Amino acid sequence: MSWAVVARKDFQDAIRSRGLIGMTVLFTLLYAGAAYLYTFIGTSDPQAASILSLINFLLLPATILVPIVGLLAGYRAVAGERETGSIKLLLGLPHTRQDVVVGKVLGRSTVVTVSTLVGFAVAAVVAVVLYGSFSVGDFVFFSLLTVVFALAFVGIGVGISAATGSTTKAVIGAFGVFGVFQFLWGQIPDLLNYAINGSYGFGGQPPEWSFLFARLNPQNAYRATVNEWVVQSPLQEAFYQQLFGGDVPLFLSPWFALAVLLLWVLVPAGLGYLAFERADL
Amino acid sequence: MTAIELAGLTKRFGDVAALRNVDLVVEEGEVFGFLGPNGAGKSTTINVLLDFARPTAGRAEVLGMDAQRRSQEVRRRTGVLPEGFETYDRLTGRQHLEFAVDSKNAEDDPMRILERVGIGDAADRKVGGYSKGMTQRLALGMAITGEPELLILDEPSTGLDPNGAREMRELVREERDRGATVFFSSHILEQVEAVCDRVGILQEGKLVAEDSVSGLRNAAGTAQTLQVAVSHVNDELLASVREVSGVSGVETNGERLSVACDPDAKTRVLEAIEEAGTTVEDFSTEEASLEELFVSYTTDGQSASGGSDRERASADSDEEDGETETGTEEVRA
């Protein structure tokens, strides 16, 4: 298994990177800090603080920060090796370029998984100590969904990295992608509508496809899986029931959202591979 | 069977032709030296052999397999020391070797190989702290892992001190004795002379010569320059030296003459200088630089700056220190 050898080497290498270690420490402090902070600002009584409300509290920062972790872990994966020339050492050995991309996605995914789980584990310890109750199942489920979310951005990061020979271009691409998801995505249906119909805003109920489009953003897909499966907020469901008259489209189900996240792992990495396969090193 | 076969290999980067219609055969079991100045296209050739780059036209075969379509199989049976590579600074020497062993599914003991290339002491140190020479030894160790049938070494003596370069040549001989074919690129004539059976000379993307090492030595022997310090220089003196048979070019640098000539013309040159009424204060003979040698091959007996008839392997360059660009332009002029 050639890709497994590449993945193991990549993990060994990346886990020793000061940048990634620093990132893990930072996010550990952030998650643990949030768990601690929540006992002051989220609720008046620490004993009454529940893990579900903590998850709700963590969801917003995680939605913004986890993509950054994933992209930072991925963007140098292939472009960095091409830039320094270590790719020649790597491909001088009998690995295919596909092995390299698959191995890189796996290696960096492992790094991000370790990094995220360490942060969440420390946050869990804080919660166990300070909170009146702690639901291990809910927190583990939340952590796993967050890992899948992180992997989507590792896939995007490695894909961009494989498609370009320079880390400068890769980092610009990574920030561009983040900007699109974070700031632009929600506006795109309105902009399309404006381009086609000349009117801004849908005036009344937005069309069904705009909900589908929104759900294709991995950040929204992640939030949807956590809301539906972990927090199980009745409000969201009620909102959709009302909107679609009891007949909620399939693409608003959490399974569809999970599939979206997995596609974000695979498709960008696959496209990046196709570009890398054609490139002269 | 042939170890490497290039047929009409052409590689263009945009408008720049890095390789032009190169045909080359390297037989199994030989040590083949691939000579050429920096930028001649040696690394591009090797990149095509390893499928780091794809040919614009023509084809490359390694161990009887298409270098592009069956690259992984090629690299499974080939040890590679690339040029301009970088190691993984955060990993140790041992981890690098383990990576090579795992990648090639080999049985080697990483420690034994590290000792063989002379960096056993540094096995557990992070490679980021290695010197250039140690890094080169490490990559050489990774190349010989798994007893490959073919070794492709791109400028293997880069960063090595003279002792290291000698050890590297010994290792190349050991590998050849084991039965491996060695394809070895260099811009340093002595490196190639010392260890190769045959050589190919690449210049500006064209293979200008394929020769045995003894043929190369003959060419190198005839392409000498005579350095003469004289009391004064004038046009008359230069003209009379140029007329000496066997002289292919004269250059001046202050009160120094640099005369490209056949070895047996040296005495006649010195006599001619004295006869012109100039005192010879000092003289020495310089071996041809690689660039001068290239020129002697490339011009193929065509007179460029001298005027006298010369053998195929005679020197054409009248460059004192043999700078490639000037030397070749001279020939083209």
Side-chain angles (χ1 to χ4, degrees):
Chain A
M1 285 301 153
S2 196
W3 50 263
V5 177
V6 176
R8 200 172 68 210
K9 190 279 303 171
D10 195 54
F11 176 73
Q12 281 183 334
D13 187 33
I15 201 79
R16 287 173 171 78
S17 142
R18 265 190 227 127
L20 287 174
I21 292 171
M23 197 174 70
T24 307
V25 171
L26 188 72
F27 287 105
T28 303
L29 290 176
L30 222 129
Y31 292 132
Y36 180 61
L37 207 63
Y38 184 68
T39 60
F40 298 108
I41 61 166
T43 173
S44 51
D45 176 12
Q47 285 302 307
S50 81
I51 202 72
L52 285 184
S53 42
L54 171 66
I55 289 171
N56 247 336
F57 184 69
L58 282 176
L59 199 51
L60 180 67
T63 307
I64 298 169
L65 295 174
V66 166
I68 297 176
V69 179
L71 290 169
L72 282 180
Y75 87 96
R76 290 188 64 89
V78 181
E81 291 224 28
R82 279 174 73 180
E83 204 163 77
T84 63
S86 58
I87 195 87
K88 292 183 176 174
L89 208 60
L90 180 59
L91 282 175
L93 295 167
H95 305 293
T96 63
R97 296 189 190 191
Q98 192 180 339
D99 294 331
V100 170
V101 174
V102 172
K104 287 285 180 183
V105 169
L106 288 176
R108 301 289 152 127
S109 292
T110 316
V111 171
V112 167
T113 302
V114 168
S115 164
T116 308
L117 291 184
V118 166
F120 278 16
V122 175
V125 169
V126 172
V128 166
V129 171
L130 294 179
Y131 294 11
S133 67
F134 182 80
S135 160
V136 176
D138 284 341
F139 197 74
V140 167
F141 198 7
F142 171 59
S143 303
L144 291 180
L145 289 173
T146 306
V147 165
V148 175
F149 178 47
L151 300 195
F153 281 90
V154 172
I156 294 168
V158 173
I160 291 171
S161 192
T164 165
S166 112
T167 54
T168 313
K169 283 185 194 159
V171 82
I172 291 169
F175 272 106
V177 164
F178 178 74
V180 167
F181 287 143
Q182 181 66 34
F183 304 111
L184 192 60
W185 198 271
Q187 313 299 320
I188 290 174
D190 286 333
L191 293 173
L192 277 175
N193 187 46
Y194 183 74
I196 296 163
N197 301 323
S199 63
Y200 196 81
F202 290 102
Q205 188 181 334
E208 212 174 288
W209 66 263
S210 72
F211 286 93
L212 170 63
F213 184 80
R215 197 44 71 87
L216 293 178
N217 181 331
Q219 292 176 312
N220 296 337
Y222 164 65
R223 268 197 293 262
T225 57
V226 174
N227 277 329
E228 290 269 350
W229 278 333
V230 185
V231 181
Q232 295 173 339
S233 154
L235 290 172
Q236 185 76 23
E237 190 60 30
F239 173 68
Y240 287 143
Q241 290 288 347
Q242 197 191 8
L243 205 57
F244 295 99
D247 193 16
V248 180
L250 187 69
F251 60 75
L252 289 176
S253 80
W255 288 106
F256 183 86
L258 183 65
V260 166
L261 288 180
L262 294 175
L263 283 176
W264 278 114
V265 184
L266 298 177
V267 173
L271 294 175
Y273 157 70
L274 291 178
F276 180 47
E277 183 62 57
R278 283 201 308 270
D280 278 346
L281 304 178
Chain B
M1 200 173 90
T2 56
I4 293 174
E5 186 172 353
L6 307 178
L9 188 65
T10 298
K11 176 67 183 176
R12 269 190 287 275
F13 296 102
D15 292 339
V16 184
L19 292 174
R20 301 183 230 183
N21 203 24
V22 174
D23 296 307
L24 178 70
V25 172
V26 176
E27 297 296 337
E28 224 170 50
E30 69 178 342
V31 179
F32 189 89
F34 199 42
L35 261 172
N38 289 323
K42 303 189 298 293
S43 288
T44 303
T45 308
I46 287 175
N47 286 344
V48 170
L49 294 177
L50 301 173
D51 197 35
F52 294 173
R54 279 62 187 257
T56 309
R59 66 187 168 80
E61 275 188 10
V62 181
L63 301 168
M65 295 176 288
D66 185 280
Q68 268 56 53
R69 276 182 288 125
R70 296 180 66 192
S71 177
Q72 191 180 22
E73 178 68 12
V74 163
R75 286 174 290 127
R76 199 168 277 142
R77 293 160 60 185
T78 305
V80 180
L81 173 60
E83 188 255 338
F85 67 91
E86 185 90 10
T87 46
Y88 301 104
D89 288 353
R90 294 185 287 263
L91 301 180
T92 64
R94 190 200 296 270
Q95 282 170 322
H96 276 78
L97 249 298
E98 282 166 356
F99 178 49
V101 169
D102 292 345
S103 297
K104 297 183 184 184
N105 254 327
E107 303 287 307
D108 296 87
D109 172 10
M111 205 52 219
R112 281 259 290 283
I113 293 184
L114 288 170
E115 274 159 12
R116 197 172 156 208
V117 294
I119 50 171
D121 299 343
D124 293 313
R125 272 170 49 196
K126 285 190 179 172
V127 169
Y130 279 20
S131 68
K132 185 79 190 74
M134 289 165 79
T135 310
Q136 196 71 13
R137 287 164 185 260
L138 176 65
L140 189 60
M142 291 173 76
I144 60 172
T145 298
E147 303 208 331
E149 292 163 57
L150 170 67
L151 278 169
I152 294 181
L153 312 176
D154 199 352
E155 298 279 358
S157 57
T158 307
L160 294 177
D161 56 23
N163 193 39
R166 186 181 48 74
E167 284 173 25
M168 188 270 303
R169 289 195 299 268
E170 269 165 27
L171 196 131
V172 165
R173 285 192 200 100
E174 285 165 23
E175 288 294 301
R176 180 209 44 208
D177 294 345
R178 171 175 71 72
T181 308
V182 183
F183 184 80
F184 171 134
S185 91
S186 181
H187 67 284
I188 303 165
L189 183 59
E190 292 77 24
Q191 296 283 338
V192 168
E193 249 190 319
V195 73
C196 295
D197 305 316
R198 278 199 320 130
V199 292
I201 297 180
L202 196 67
Q203 191 173 39
E204 296 181 343
K206 279 194 199 147
L207 192 72
V208 293
E210 253 187 285
D211 206 344
S212 66
V213 160
S214 59
L216 182 78
R217 281 211 189 89
N218 284 340
T222 50
Q224 290 177 337
T225 58
L226 181 63
Q227 307 288 330
V228 193
V230 293
S231 54
H232 63 276
V233 174
N234 56 37
D235 290 346
E236 223 172 291
L237 171 68
L238 293 181
S240 55
V241 171
R242 281 204 182 93
E243 273 165 26
V244 175
S245 92
V247 169
S248 51
V250 183
E251 281 257 313
T252 58
N253 180 12
E255 252 72 79
R256 290 179 63 83
L257 293 183
S258 170
V259 185
C261 62
D262 296 343
D264 56 0
K266 276 183 271 184
T267 327
R268 293 200 298 274
V269 169
L270 295 174
E271 282 168 7
I273 293 173
E274 295 279 343
E275 275 165 26
T278 313
T279 315
V280 173
E281 289 172 345
D282 193 13
F283 72 92
S284 61
T285 307
E286 276 187 11
E287 286 291 309
S289 69
L290 185 61
E291 286 76 13
E292 286 163 329
L293 187 70
F294 292 146
V295 172
S296 81
Y297 270 109
T298 41
T299 51
D300 206 21
Q302 300 291 306
S303 172
S305 54
S308 56
D309 292 331
R310 268 162 295 112
E311 300 292 306
R312 173 181 178 273
S314 69
D316 247 335
S317 170
D318 45 17
E319 266 305 294
E320 186 174 11
D321 48 8
E323 282 170 23
T324 328
E325 271 126 286
T326 338
T328 28
E329 272 163 23
E330 186 77 25
V331 171
R332 285 207 214 102

